[in-house]
Amino acid sequence: MKNCKIKILSILIIFSIMMLPILTVANAANEEIAVLKTSENEYRIYSEKYLGKSFYYAFSDTEEVAESSLNFITSKQDTDGNQIAEFKTTSEEAYMWTKESLDAKAEVTKVDLKDSMTKESVEEIQTITKRIPVDATQTATETTEEGDIIKNITTGILKITDTANAKFYYQTTLLTKETVDYNRLMELTKQAQGELNNYQRIKLAQEYEELFNKLTSQANWTEVVDKTIKQPANANDGEQYVVLLRKVENGNTTYDAQFLTSSKQTKQEVVEKVVSTTKNTELPVTYDNPILFVVLAITVALLVIIGIKIAKARKNENQK
């Protein structure tokens, strides 16, 4: 019975020893690394764990190798003070073995070189919002009349100031809780403008490039007229928008993005209408009319004749 227990214990120990390398690889597989391609077949590895401290590393084409057969070397320091591992290979993947001291157990990380970023790709992220020159400070005012009310609505516009003889296209997206990818794009753009170490720059550039390519390939493009992009008619003041831009010139295509806050100011005034009335005024009689003079003359003549007849009649009566 005692021998049986010893055998079982021995089997468990042997099994544990055999599983140790596998567990080590599995645990280290999730280690965060960033790969920078410095030239053809040459790579620089940034490990988040070892950015600020030196370490020992080695590379192999497979994980099925004895650690004792590997040649570990000391990490190097880049120009920004980050500890890095450098190596050359023509393969698309490799295994990086790392440890803090030579007598420590190494961790193994699978390195996918297809996901590496070039220095140019990393630096290109800094050009976002600057690839296609624009002026986002201009406004446009529209005046409408509703009865006796006049409304002046002033809204923001995006003016393309690029002088190239090219065609421009755009897509405007209002940021909401549902626009997850566009929200993330704006977050990454803000992060890219902040202070980052080389590891963070590479990881950010990798995510940004993948997301930006996805959004531009799915965009519903509208051609820009007069190099002017109006904000949506139903936009409210203070809303945030992502404007994707595309420039096509001589067969070459450039993509860019702008992150804008809508502006909408409405002023209205009531116009008092002046009602015009016409009053006919009768002029006073001035007797300047010739007909009046004729009538007056006839009247006077009649009065004279009547007066004469009355006088004659009285004279005849007195003679009798």
Side-chain angles (χ1 to χ4, degrees), residues 27 37 48 66 90 107 179 205 235 272 319:
N27 290 334
K37 186 175 183 179
E48 186 177 25
T90 57
E107 294 179 332
T179 56
E272 295 183 1
Q319 289 177 355

Side-chain angles (χ1 to χ4, degrees), residues 15-29 63-64 105 108:
F15 180 77
S16 299
I17 293 174
M18 292 175 62
M19 288 296 296
L20 184 59
I22 299 175
L23 292 174
T24 302
V25 174
N27 290 334
E63 61 182 301
E64 301 298 331
K105 184 66 179 177
V108 186

Side-chain angles (χ1 to χ4, degrees), residues 9-217:
L9 183 60
S10 299
I11 292 173
L12 290 174
I13 293 173
I14 294 172
F15 180 77
S16 299
I17 293 174
M18 292 175 62
M19 288 296 296
L20 184 59
I22 299 175
L23 292 174
T24 302
V25 174
N27 290 334
N30 294 325
E31 182 182 358
E32 290 292 334
I33 61 171
V35 184
L36 182 68
K37 186 175 183 179
T38 55
S39 62
E40 190 65 26
N41 300 328
E42 294 187 2
Y43 300 89
R44 181 179 295 175
I45 311 297
Y46 290 84
S47 172
E48 186 177 25
K49 180 179 179 180
Y50 294 112
L51 283 179
K53 58 183 178 181
S54 62
F55 61 97
Y56 295 91
Y57 70 92
F59 286 94
S60 65
D61 295 330
T62 176
E63 61 182 301
E64 301 298 331
V65 296
E67 182 179 330
S68 58
S69 66
L70 298 173
N71 180 29
F72 284 87
I73 59 177
T74 307
S75 60
K76 301 177 182 179
Q77 184 172 287
D78 69 2
T79 55
D80 292 336
N82 301 298
Q83 293 294 319
I84 59 172
E86 292 182 326
F87 78 113
K88 298 180 180 180
T89 183
T90 57
S91 302
E92 292 186 344
E93 64 179 34
Y95 291 86
M96 183 173 72
W97 302 67
T98 57
K99 53 186 177 180
E100 295 185 22
S101 61
L102 290 175
D103 57 350
K105 184 66 179 177
E107 294 179 332
V108 186
T109 303
K110 184 179 180 180
V111 182
D112 189 351
L113 300 175
K114 296 189 298 295
D115 291 336
S116 63
M117 300 290 292
T118 63
K119 183 179 180 181
E120 292 74 21
S121 297
V122 174
E123 292 177 345
E124 189 177 8
I125 301 302
Q126 301 298 323
T127 66
I128 288 293
T129 72
K130 304 179 185 70
R131 298 173 185 174
I132 301 176
V134 299
D135 181 1
T137 64
Q138 297 189 29
T139 59
T141 301
E142 180 181 353
T143 301
T144 60
E145 289 189 28
E146 298 178 5
D148 58 351
I149 297 178
I150 295 179
K151 288 185 178 180
N152 294 314
I153 303 174
T154 302
T155 57
I157 60 174
L158 186 66
K159 193 74 174 180
I160 295 177
T161 57
D162 194 314
T163 58
N165 184 22
K167 286 189 175 182
F168 298 91
Y169 303 85
Y170 74 98
Q171 176 189 272
T172 303
T173 302
L174 171 65
L175 294 183
T176 65
K177 292 181 180 179
E178 287 72 32
T179 56
V180 178
D181 285 343
Y182 287 94
N183 295 342
R184 182 57 179 165
L185 187 71
M186 186 170 71
E187 291 174 5
L188 291 175
T189 303
K190 291 180 179 179
Q191 291 177 19
Q193 297 170 353
E195 293 292 331
L196 301 173
N197 57 43
N198 285 337
Y199 167 82
Q200 293 169 329
R201 290 191 190 98
I202 297 170
K203 298 296 285 187
L204 187 146
Q206 191 174 27
E207 182 182 358
Y208 199 106
E209 184 178 84
E210 181 179 347
L211 179 59
F212 191 66
N213 290 341
K214 172 187 174 182
L215 294 178
T216 53
S217 65

Side-chain angles (χ1 to χ4, degrees), residues 247-260:
K247 170 185 173 183
V248 180
E249 181 184 18
N250 298 327
N252 298 318
T253 302
T254 302
Y255 293 99
D256 201 2
Q258 293 291 331
F259 304 88
L260 307 175

